[in-house]
Amino acid sequence: HRKGMIMRFHSFDDVQDHLDALGLFHMDFGLDRMRNALDALGLLTPPFVTVQIVGTNGKGSTASMLSSVLNHAGLRCGLYTSPHLQRYNERFQIAGEPISDEQLIQSVQRVQQVCEQLGGTPIVFEVLTLMAFELFARLDCQIAVLEVGIGGRLDATNCIPSPQAAVVTQLGLDHTETLGDTIEQIAWQKGGIAKPGSCLVMAAQQEEAMEVVWQICRQEDCAFCVADPKRMQLLSSTLKGQRVLDEHFGELLIPLAGEHQLKNAANVLCAVEQLAQRGWKIPVEAVREGLAAAKWPARFELLDESPYFILDGGHNPQCVQAAMDALERFFPGKKAVILTGMMQDKDTEKMLEQMAEPAACFVCLHPDSPRALSAEQLAQQVTKRFGLPAFCCESIAQGVALAREKAGSDGLVCALGSLYLAAEVRAQFERK
């Protein structure tokens, strides 16, 4: 559109096309554009308080569980996560529900107008973050749980005043071209969300990472709390959830499978305790009901039982290893058909090595992204490196059908490698 003309959005498709086009711009990190835009929106100091979630793995699960607890405590909670699986609306939830198309259109219109007045905002995540602030303010949220996009220190969400609490989930080597290639460098970027007068909760993990974040908290006069999953005793574990006995909140149901989700739940419980110390009334019953009601699709999610079909959004070595550990726990010694597609900028060699151990064969796909590896490239890596059968499919539907056929009715399929893939695979089952 010509400079000086304000774009008008009339439908969800208009918004989707606009936001998808913004993704074509190069990443250019910094906080000045965000602060200027928030100031123009009157939201530099928003009318709601925040909890910020950062990390390499587990951010979305942690954010979802925490927001569910806050909603069950009677608070009007906004939840901002990324990426979405199928529709942009999923990134913005209020009181446990995604926003409507009308609310989405109204928000992107207002944010785009401000961006035009300021000379344009080329990074899509900045636009989406501005929309989250605008929506949560306009729709009267009391508290917002914000998932960081990439990094932390220079992430668009980090323009907020001191949050009520900040949470650091499990850290690993991902986005190394931007954040650094050592765990200490990654921790320095993630620890940048520590702010004076706040409290930072960090999952128990590598000592090197914890030391870096603790030092940042000392410098920023931010309290530091370690969330240790040993606070919970595991009572039972199935593909549909886990029952634990927590030292403070008693018996709890965590409806997400996998040992790694216990670490995320420990973060949530520790964050709730910190919020309670700040005067927020979060009854024990709200914690129990909120955790039990939490939903976070495509995280070791059981989609079918004939054959068993597991969907996981794992897209880096840490996530993939957690999924493989869970496969071994629930299906010990059983070989799986691995349905996968990956991005070029990920550590594909390491992830394929992890997947190969339980694999009977691979079905390779090309996820809907310009960053994706072709199915043929993946299949060549599998056969050359591991000598396993690898089949290429032109569409997600064909890939799902072939994987199920190769597994047989009493077999096992595990789909993982990319969130783009996860969205499309999940859609195949929703259409049934």
Short mmCIF file of all heavy atoms in Angstrom, two decimals, residues 104-147:
data_model
loop_
_atom_site.label_atom_id
_atom_site.label_comp_id
_atom_site.label_asym_id
_atom_site.label_seq_id
_atom_site.Cartn_x
_atom_site.Cartn_y
_atom_site.Cartn_z
N LEU A 104 -9.79 -9.93 16.86
CA LEU A 104 -8.50 -9.97 16.17
C LEU A 104 -8.41 -8.85 15.13
O LEU A 104 -7.41 -8.13 15.05
CB LEU A 104 -8.32 -11.33 15.49
CG LEU A 104 -6.99 -11.57 14.79
CD1 LEU A 104 -5.89 -11.88 15.80
CD2 LEU A 104 -7.11 -12.73 13.80
N ILE A 105 -9.46 -8.69 14.33
CA ILE A 105 -9.46 -7.66 13.29
C ILE A 105 -9.37 -6.27 13.91
O ILE A 105 -8.60 -5.41 13.45
CB ILE A 105 -10.74 -7.79 12.43
CG1 ILE A 105 -10.71 -9.10 11.63
CG2 ILE A 105 -10.89 -6.59 11.48
CD1 ILE A 105 -12.04 -9.47 11.00
N GLN A 106 -10.13 -6.02 14.96
CA GLN A 106 -10.10 -4.71 15.62
C GLN A 106 -8.70 -4.39 16.16
O GLN A 106 -8.20 -3.27 16.04
CB GLN A 106 -11.11 -4.67 16.76
CG GLN A 106 -12.56 -4.68 16.31
CD GLN A 106 -13.53 -4.85 17.46
OE1 GLN A 106 -13.13 -5.19 18.59
NE2 GLN A 106 -14.81 -4.62 17.20
N SER A 107 -8.05 -5.41 16.73
CA SER A 107 -6.74 -5.18 17.34
C SER A 107 -5.67 -4.92 16.28
O SER A 107 -4.87 -3.98 16.42
CB SER A 107 -6.35 -6.38 18.20
OG SER A 107 -5.14 -6.12 18.89
N VAL A 108 -5.61 -5.73 15.25
CA VAL A 108 -4.58 -5.53 14.23
C VAL A 108 -4.78 -4.20 13.52
O VAL A 108 -3.82 -3.53 13.13
CB VAL A 108 -4.55 -6.71 13.23
CG1 VAL A 108 -5.68 -6.65 12.24
CG2 VAL A 108 -3.21 -6.75 12.50
N GLN A 109 -6.05 -3.76 13.39
CA GLN A 109 -6.32 -2.46 12.77
C GLN A 109 -5.73 -1.32 13.60
O GLN A 109 -5.07 -0.42 13.07
CB GLN A 109 -7.83 -2.25 12.62
CG GLN A 109 -8.21 -1.00 11.86
CD GLN A 109 -7.86 -1.12 10.39
OE1 GLN A 109 -8.42 -1.95 9.68
NE2 GLN A 109 -6.95 -0.29 9.91
N ARG A 110 -5.95 -1.38 14.90
CA ARG A 110 -5.45 -0.31 15.75
C ARG A 110 -3.93 -0.32 15.81
O ARG A 110 -3.28 0.73 15.75
CB ARG A 110 -6.03 -0.46 17.17
CG ARG A 110 -5.65 0.74 18.04
CD ARG A 110 -6.28 0.71 19.40
NE ARG A 110 -5.88 1.90 20.14
CZ ARG A 110 -5.80 1.99 21.46
NH1 ARG A 110 -6.13 0.93 22.19
NH2 ARG A 110 -5.41 3.09 22.06
N VAL A 111 -3.35 -1.49 15.94
CA VAL A 111 -1.89 -1.59 16.02
C VAL A 111 -1.24 -1.17 14.70
O VAL A 111 -0.23 -0.45 14.69
CB VAL A 111 -1.46 -3.03 16.40
CG1 VAL A 111 0.02 -3.25 16.18
CG2 VAL A 111 -1.83 -3.32 17.85
N GLN A 112 -1.81 -1.59 13.58
CA GLN A 112 -1.26 -1.21 12.28
C GLN A 112 -1.31 0.30 12.09
O GLN A 112 -0.38 0.90 11.54
CB GLN A 112 -2.02 -1.91 11.16
CG GLN A 112 -1.55 -1.55 9.76
CD GLN A 112 -0.10 -1.94 9.50
OE1 GLN A 112 0.41 -2.86 10.14
NE2 GLN A 112 0.55 -1.23 8.60
N GLN A 113 -2.36 0.94 12.56
CA GLN A 113 -2.47 2.39 12.43
C GLN A 113 -1.34 3.08 13.20
O GLN A 113 -0.71 4.01 12.69
CB GLN A 113 -3.83 2.85 12.96
CG GLN A 113 -4.07 4.35 12.78
CD GLN A 113 -5.50 4.74 13.13
OE1 GLN A 113 -6.34 3.87 13.39
NE2 GLN A 113 -5.78 6.02 13.13
N VAL A 114 -1.06 2.60 14.41
CA VAL A 114 0.02 3.18 15.20
C VAL A 114 1.37 2.94 14.52
O VAL A 114 2.22 3.83 14.45
CB VAL A 114 0.02 2.59 16.62
CG1 VAL A 114 1.33 2.89 17.35
CG2 VAL A 114 -1.15 3.15 17.41
N CYS A 115 1.57 1.73 14.01
CA CYS A 115 2.83 1.41 13.33
C CYS A 115 3.04 2.30 12.11
O CYS A 115 4.16 2.75 11.84
CB CYS A 115 2.85 -0.06 12.93
SG CYS A 115 2.95 -1.20 14.33
N GLU A 116 1.96 2.55 11.36
CA GLU A 116 2.07 3.43 10.19
C GLU A 116 2.47 4.84 10.61
O GLU A 116 3.29 5.49 9.97
CB GLU A 116 0.75 3.45 9.43
CG GLU A 116 0.46 2.20 8.64
CD GLU A 116 1.44 2.01 7.50
OE1 GLU A 116 1.81 3.00 6.86
OE2 GLU A 116 1.84 0.86 7.27
N GLN A 117 1.88 5.32 11.69
CA GLN A 117 2.20 6.66 12.16
C GLN A 117 3.65 6.78 12.60
O GLN A 117 4.27 7.84 12.48
CB GLN A 117 1.27 7.02 13.33
CG GLN A 117 -0.18 7.20 12.91
CD GLN A 117 -1.12 7.26 14.10
OE1 GLN A 117 -0.73 7.04 15.25
NE2 GLN A 117 -2.39 7.56 13.83
N LEU A 118 4.20 5.65 13.09
CA LEU A 118 5.59 5.65 13.57
C LEU A 118 6.59 5.25 12.48
O LEU A 118 7.79 5.13 12.75
CB LEU A 118 5.73 4.70 14.76
CG LEU A 118 4.95 5.09 16.01
CD1 LEU A 118 5.05 3.99 17.07
CD2 LEU A 118 5.45 6.41 16.59
N GLY A 119 6.10 5.00 11.28
CA GLY A 119 7.01 4.65 10.19
C GLY A 119 7.09 3.17 9.89
O GLY A 119 7.95 2.73 9.13
N GLY A 120 6.21 2.38 10.52
CA GLY A 120 6.18 0.94 10.21
C GLY A 120 6.93 0.11 11.22
O GLY A 120 7.95 0.52 11.76
N THR A 121 6.42 -1.10 11.50
CA THR A 121 7.06 -2.05 12.40
C THR A 121 7.25 -3.35 11.62
O THR A 121 6.29 -4.07 11.39
CB THR A 121 6.20 -2.30 13.66
OG1 THR A 121 5.98 -1.06 14.31
CG2 THR A 121 6.92 -3.24 14.62
N PRO A 122 8.48 -3.66 11.18
CA PRO A 122 8.66 -4.76 10.23
C PRO A 122 8.69 -6.17 10.83
O PRO A 122 8.68 -7.12 10.09
CB PRO A 122 10.03 -4.44 9.61
CG PRO A 122 10.76 -3.72 10.69
CD PRO A 122 9.72 -2.93 11.43
N ILE A 123 8.74 -6.31 12.14
CA ILE A 123 8.87 -7.64 12.73
C ILE A 123 7.51 -8.13 13.20
O ILE A 123 6.87 -7.50 14.03
CB ILE A 123 9.89 -7.63 13.90
CG1 ILE A 123 11.26 -7.23 13.38
CG2 ILE A 123 9.95 -8.99 14.56
CD1 ILE A 123 12.31 -7.12 14.46
N VAL A 124 7.09 -9.27 12.68
CA VAL A 124 5.75 -9.75 12.97
C VAL A 124 5.55 -10.00 14.46
O VAL A 124 4.47 -9.72 15.00
CB VAL A 124 5.44 -11.02 12.15
CG1 VAL A 124 6.34 -12.18 12.54
CG2 VAL A 124 3.97 -11.41 12.28
N PHE A 125 6.56 -10.50 15.17
CA PHE A 125 6.37 -10.79 16.60
C PHE A 125 6.12 -9.51 17.39
O PHE A 125 5.40 -9.52 18.39
CB PHE A 125 7.57 -11.55 17.17
CG PHE A 125 7.32 -12.06 18.56
CD1 PHE A 125 6.48 -13.15 18.77
CD2 PHE A 125 7.89 -11.46 19.67
CE1 PHE A 125 6.22 -13.63 20.05
CE2 PHE A 125 7.64 -11.93 20.95
CZ PHE A 125 6.81 -13.01 21.15
N GLU A 126 6.70 -8.38 16.95
CA GLU A 126 6.42 -7.11 17.61
C GLU A 126 4.96 -6.72 17.42
O GLU A 126 4.29 -6.28 18.36
CB GLU A 126 7.34 -6.02 17.06
CG GLU A 126 8.79 -6.20 17.46
CD GLU A 126 9.69 -5.12 16.88
OE1 GLU A 126 9.23 -4.32 16.03
OE2 GLU A 126 10.86 -5.08 17.28
N VAL A 127 4.45 -6.88 16.21
CA VAL A 127 3.05 -6.56 15.94
C VAL A 127 2.14 -7.44 16.80
O VAL A 127 1.18 -6.95 17.42
CB VAL A 127 2.73 -6.74 14.44
CG1 VAL A 127 1.24 -6.59 14.18
CG2 VAL A 127 3.51 -5.73 13.61
N LEU A 128 2.43 -8.72 16.86
CA LEU A 128 1.61 -9.63 17.65
C LEU A 128 1.67 -9.30 19.13
O LEU A 128 0.65 -9.37 19.84
CB LEU A 128 2.06 -11.07 17.40
CG LEU A 128 1.80 -11.61 15.99
CD1 LEU A 128 2.61 -12.88 15.74
CD2 LEU A 128 0.32 -11.87 15.78
N THR A 129 2.84 -8.91 19.63
CA THR A 129 2.98 -8.55 21.04
C THR A 129 2.21 -7.27 21.35
O THR A 129 1.55 -7.15 22.39
CB THR A 129 4.46 -8.40 21.42
OG1 THR A 129 5.15 -9.62 21.11
CG2 THR A 129 4.63 -8.11 22.90
N LEU A 130 2.27 -6.30 20.44
CA LEU A 130 1.48 -5.08 20.61
C LEU A 130 0.00 -5.41 20.64
O LEU A 130 -0.77 -4.85 21.42
CB LEU A 130 1.78 -4.10 19.48
CG LEU A 130 3.17 -3.46 19.49
CD1 LEU A 130 3.43 -2.73 18.17
CD2 LEU A 130 3.32 -2.50 20.67
N MET A 131 -0.41 -6.33 19.79
CA MET A 131 -1.82 -6.76 19.78
C MET A 131 -2.21 -7.39 21.11
O MET A 131 -3.31 -7.15 21.62
CB MET A 131 -2.06 -7.73 18.63
CG MET A 131 -2.02 -7.09 17.26
SD MET A 131 -2.06 -8.33 15.91
CE MET A 131 -3.62 -9.16 16.23
N ALA A 132 -1.32 -8.20 21.68
CA ALA A 132 -1.61 -8.82 22.98
C ALA A 132 -1.85 -7.75 24.04
O ALA A 132 -2.83 -7.81 24.80
CB ALA A 132 -0.46 -9.74 23.39
N PHE A 133 -0.97 -6.74 24.09
CA PHE A 133 -1.13 -5.67 25.08
C PHE A 133 -2.44 -4.92 24.84
O PHE A 133 -3.17 -4.61 25.80
CB PHE A 133 0.06 -4.72 25.01
CG PHE A 133 1.25 -5.17 25.78
CD1 PHE A 133 2.01 -6.25 25.35
CD2 PHE A 133 1.64 -4.54 26.95
CE1 PHE A 133 3.11 -6.69 26.07
CE2 PHE A 133 2.73 -4.96 27.67
CZ PHE A 133 3.48 -6.04 27.23
N GLU A 134 -2.72 -4.61 23.58
CA GLU A 134 -3.93 -3.86 23.25
C GLU A 134 -5.18 -4.66 23.63
O GLU A 134 -6.12 -4.12 24.22
CB GLU A 134 -3.92 -3.54 21.75
CG GLU A 134 -4.98 -2.53 21.31
CD GLU A 134 -6.34 -3.17 21.05
OE1 GLU A 134 -6.37 -4.37 20.70
OE2 GLU A 134 -7.36 -2.48 21.21
N LEU A 135 -5.20 -5.93 23.30
CA LEU A 135 -6.35 -6.78 23.60
C LEU A 135 -6.56 -6.93 25.10
O LEU A 135 -7.69 -6.79 25.61
CB LEU A 135 -6.15 -8.16 22.97
CG LEU A 135 -6.38 -8.26 21.46
CD1 LEU A 135 -5.69 -9.48 20.88
CD2 LEU A 135 -7.89 -8.30 21.16
N PHE A 136 -5.49 -7.23 25.83
CA PHE A 136 -5.63 -7.47 27.27
C PHE A 136 -6.06 -6.20 28.00
O PHE A 136 -6.79 -6.27 29.00
CB PHE A 136 -4.31 -8.01 27.84
CG PHE A 136 -3.89 -9.34 27.28
CD1 PHE A 136 -2.57 -9.76 27.34
CD2 PHE A 136 -4.81 -10.19 26.68
CE1 PHE A 136 -2.17 -10.98 26.81
CE2 PHE A 136 -4.43 -11.41 26.15
CZ PHE A 136 -3.10 -11.81 26.22
N ALA A 137 -5.62 -5.03 27.50
CA ALA A 137 -6.03 -3.77 28.12
C ALA A 137 -7.49 -3.47 27.78
O ALA A 137 -8.30 -3.15 28.66
CB ALA A 137 -5.13 -2.63 27.64
N ARG A 138 -7.85 -3.59 26.51
CA ARG A 138 -9.21 -3.24 26.07
C ARG A 138 -10.25 -4.18 26.64
O ARG A 138 -11.39 -3.76 26.90
CB ARG A 138 -9.25 -3.24 24.54
CG ARG A 138 -10.62 -3.00 23.94
CD ARG A 138 -10.55 -2.54 22.49
NE ARG A 138 -9.77 -3.43 21.66
CZ ARG A 138 -10.26 -4.48 20.99
NH1 ARG A 138 -11.54 -4.78 21.11
NH2 ARG A 138 -9.49 -5.23 20.23
N LEU A 139 -9.87 -5.45 26.86
CA LEU A 139 -10.83 -6.44 27.33
C LEU A 139 -10.70 -6.72 28.82
O LEU A 139 -11.11 -7.76 29.32
CB LEU A 139 -10.68 -7.72 26.51
CG LEU A 139 -10.92 -7.53 25.00
CD1 LEU A 139 -10.66 -8.80 24.23
CD2 LEU A 139 -12.34 -7.04 24.73
N ASP A 140 -10.09 -5.78 29.52
CA ASP A 140 -10.14 -5.71 31.00
C ASP A 140 -9.50 -6.90 31.71
O ASP A 140 -10.04 -7.41 32.70
CB ASP A 140 -11.59 -5.56 31.48
CG ASP A 140 -12.24 -4.30 30.94
OD1 ASP A 140 -11.57 -3.26 30.90
OD2 ASP A 140 -13.42 -4.37 30.55
N CYS A 141 -8.35 -7.35 31.23
CA CYS A 141 -7.62 -8.39 31.96
C CYS A 141 -6.99 -7.79 33.22
O CYS A 141 -6.50 -6.65 33.22
CB CYS A 141 -6.54 -9.00 31.08
SG CYS A 141 -7.21 -10.02 29.75
N GLN A 142 -6.96 -8.57 34.28
CA GLN A 142 -6.30 -8.16 35.51
C GLN A 142 -4.82 -8.54 35.51
O GLN A 142 -3.99 -7.86 36.09
CB GLN A 142 -6.98 -8.81 36.72
CG GLN A 142 -8.43 -8.42 36.91
CD GLN A 142 -9.11 -9.35 37.89
OE1 GLN A 142 -9.65 -10.39 37.53
NE2 GLN A 142 -9.07 -8.99 39.17
N ILE A 143 -4.53 -9.68 34.89
CA ILE A 143 -3.18 -10.21 34.89
C ILE A 143 -2.97 -10.92 33.54
O ILE A 143 -3.91 -11.47 32.98
CB ILE A 143 -2.95 -11.18 36.08
CG1 ILE A 143 -1.49 -11.58 36.21
CG2 ILE A 143 -3.88 -12.39 36.01
CD1 ILE A 143 -1.16 -12.29 37.53
N ALA A 144 -1.75 -10.85 33.04
CA ALA A 144 -1.45 -11.48 31.76
C ALA A 144 -0.21 -12.35 31.89
O ALA A 144 0.79 -11.94 32.48
CB ALA A 144 -1.23 -10.43 30.67
N VAL A 145 -0.29 -13.57 31.35
CA VAL A 145 0.86 -14.47 31.29
C VAL A 145 1.43 -14.35 29.88
O VAL A 145 0.76 -14.64 28.90
CB VAL A 145 0.44 -15.93 31.58
CG1 VAL A 145 1.63 -16.87 31.45
CG2 VAL A 145 -0.16 -16.03 32.98
N LEU A 146 2.69 -13.89 29.80
CA LEU A 146 3.32 -13.59 28.51
C LEU A 146 4.45 -14.57 28.24
O LEU A 146 5.42 -14.64 29.00
CB LEU A 146 3.89 -12.16 28.53
CG LEU A 146 2.93 -11.03 28.90
CD1 LEU A 146 3.69 -9.72 29.00
CD2 LEU A 146 1.78 -10.93 27.91
N GLU A 147 4.34 -15.32 27.15
CA GLU A 147 5.42 -16.21 26.74
C GLU A 147 6.40 -15.43 25.87
O GLU A 147 6.01 -14.82 24.86
CB GLU A 147 4.87 -17.40 25.97
CG GLU A 147 5.96 -18.36 25.50
CD GLU A 147 5.47 -19.45 24.58
OE1 GLU A 147 4.25 -19.71 24.54
OE2 GLU A 147 6.31 -20.05 23.87
#
